[in-house]
Amino acid sequence: MRCMVPGCDNVTSPQYVEPFTNFTIPTGDECRRFWRYNLTADTCADADFDDNITVSCTEFVFDDSMFKTSFATQWNLTCHYQPLVELPNTLYFSGVLLGSVVFGVISDRFGRKAALMLAVLIINLVGYLVVLLRSSFVAVCVLRVLLGLASCGMFQTPFVMAVELVGKRWRVPCGTALNYFTTLGALVAGGLGYAIRDWVQLQLVVTAPLLLLFAGFWLCPESVRWLLTQGRTRDAERLIRKIAETNGTTVSPHLLADYDAGGEEEEGDGAPTQRELRDPVRDAEETSSSEETLIVPAAPSETFLDCMRSRVLRLRLLLALLGW
């Protein structure tokens, strides 16, 4: 950027590179210009300016050779306001920090799939609202926080879903594969940013494909492990059978509980019931003998502070913080 020079710049279509900048703008100070003797003169010559006196600029000309528009040009974030250019990015990562907690709670309480769909909804709304409300710097800053929050849900939740839907052998490859797609997305975004130099157009282009993520409501299964923690054993078994059928295989016998005596029980209408995954708590409550009754204590509630009691988890948390 540089100062707009009255009497020299074309007011309607100023150009960043002009020969008169050599004698109208001090070297290394884009926020000031040399004082002009006669503001009403039609000339633009070296003699019209006093290089011993400088004045603050009120209007600016931006270099559009790389980007046609940006956050800085949108709100004229220059000179004393230039530090505000980084504020939206700072707020974005504040949202990421908040989202790591919020979406962790939501996914544990309402399910991985619900958390993922909520993140998809927020990130789509923010993508279009930031264009509609682009004239308000405050509104864009608020939307950047929401974007960071949803972005964390978009990464954290699918990661958990992926590692919970596979066996121990494939957890590391699945988690690593997600990072490959994250890197690929960053490369694609960089290529689009190079091809589309207007930030509003770029925002619309990168947001439009995100509508396809709503298909995850029908395509993504819920986490089997989460279903089991909620006591939804029938749903978990049904999902395991569906996954096995999709993969063209059968469910290993040890994954499912034994049939009741006589195989599938017949209900009053003659329809066979689904086999249930064995619920250890329910089984313990139903199991009794003449000599002793088995009492299973309720699992104690756990909090984040319980993780800090493990030396290994403390070390991993420290390494994760250093990595970020």
Side-chain angles (χ1 to χ4, degrees):
M1 70 173 187
R2 65 168 178 82
C3 285
M4 178 177 284
V5 183
C8 294
D9 273 307
N10 186 326
V11 178
T12 57
S13 58
Q15 301 297 316
Y16 179 75
V17 179
E18 293 284 4
F20 56 75
T21 57
N22 294 327
F23 56 83
T24 59
I25 298 177
T27 303
D29 190 354
E30 298 84 0
C31 297
R32 303 183 69 83
R33 59 179 176 81
F34 292 129
W35 182 68
R36 184 184 177 95
Y37 292 113
N38 188 358
L39 297 178
T40 61
D42 295 332
T43 60
C44 181
D46 190 358
D48 296 330
F49 296 87
D50 187 347
D51 57 5
N52 293 318
I53 303 176
T54 60
V55 294
S56 299
C57 300
T58 56
E59 296 181 278
F60 297 88
V61 179
F62 294 92
D63 182 7
D64 60 358
S65 60
M66 181 172 295
F67 297 105
K68 297 299 181 183
T69 60
S70 65
F71 274 12
T73 62
Q74 179 75 40
W75 297 289
N76 205 26
L77 301 179
T78 58
C79 300
H80 299 298
Y81 298 102
Q82 195 166 6
L84 294 178
V85 173
E86 298 300 328
L87 180 60
N89 286 336
T90 302
L91 294 174
Y92 169 83
F93 284 103
S94 299
V96 172
L97 178 63
L98 180 64
S100 63
V101 177
V102 171
F103 276 93
V105 173
I106 293 175
S107 64
D108 287 343
R109 177 66 180 84
F110 301 101
R112 318 305 193 208
K113 189 174 180 178
L116 177 60
M117 290 298 99
L118 177 61
V120 170
L121 177 62
I122 294 176
I123 206 169
N124 273 276
L125 289 177
V126 169
Y128 292 107
L129 286 176
V130 75
V131 174
L132 295 175
L133 304 177
R134 64 183 181 275
S135 60
S136 172
F137 181 74
V138 175
V140 170
C141 287
V142 172
L143 291 173
R144 288 290 291 179
V145 176
L146 293 177
L147 179 63
L149 187 145
S151 297
C152 187
M154 286 287 295
F155 176 82
Q156 175 179 285
T157 307
F159 185 92
V160 174
M161 292 178 70
V163 298
E164 286 185 344
L165 282 171
V166 298
K168 184 177 181 180
R169 176 184 176 186
W170 294 101
R171 288 176 190 170
V172 173
C174 283
T176 305
L178 286 176
N179 291 303
Y180 291 153
F181 286 100
T182 302
T183 304
L184 179 61
L187 293 175
V188 172
L192 290 174
Y194 181 82
I196 305 172
R197 304 304 177 92
D198 182 89
W199 81 268
V200 175
Q201 296 178 8
L202 178 62
Q203 179 68 30
L204 292 174
V205 169
V206 300
T207 303
L210 297 179
L211 292 172
L212 298 175
L213 295 177
F214 284 108
F217 182 81
W218 298 275
L219 298 178
C220 293
E222 183 57 88
S223 167
V224 174
R225 288 181 172 84
W226 181 81
L227 291 173
L228 291 176
T229 62
Q230 303 301 305
R232 296 168 56 180
T233 54
R234 285 181 179 272
D235 293 334
E237 180 182 358
R238 191 178 301 113
L239 179 56
I240 291 175
R241 292 182 180 279
K242 182 178 180 180
I243 294 174
E245 181 181 355
T246 302
N247 292 334
T249 185
T250 57
V251 183
S252 300
H254 71 277
L255 293 178
L256 301 175
D258 295 331
Y259 280 108
D260 293 331
E264 293 180 333
E265 294 183 352
E266 298 290 332
E267 295 184 338
D269 58 359
T273 61
Q274 291 276 353
R275 278 172 45 192
E276 296 183 33
L277 287 172
R278 190 70 68 184
D279 187 340
V281 176
R282 186 193 64 190
D283 289 348
E285 293 174 347
E286 295 177 351
T287 302
S288 62
S289 65
S290 58
E291 299 179 357
E292 180 181 8
T293 300
L294 178 62
I295 300 176
V296 179
S301 59
E302 297 178 346
T303 65
F304 174 77
L305 295 178
D306 294 317
C307 298
M308 298 297 97
R309 297 173 181 173
S310 169
R311 183 177 62 87
V312 175
L313 291 180
R314 289 198 303 269
L315 178 60
R316 289 178 179 176
L317 176 62
L318 177 61
L319 293 177
L321 293 174
L322 291 176
W324 277 94

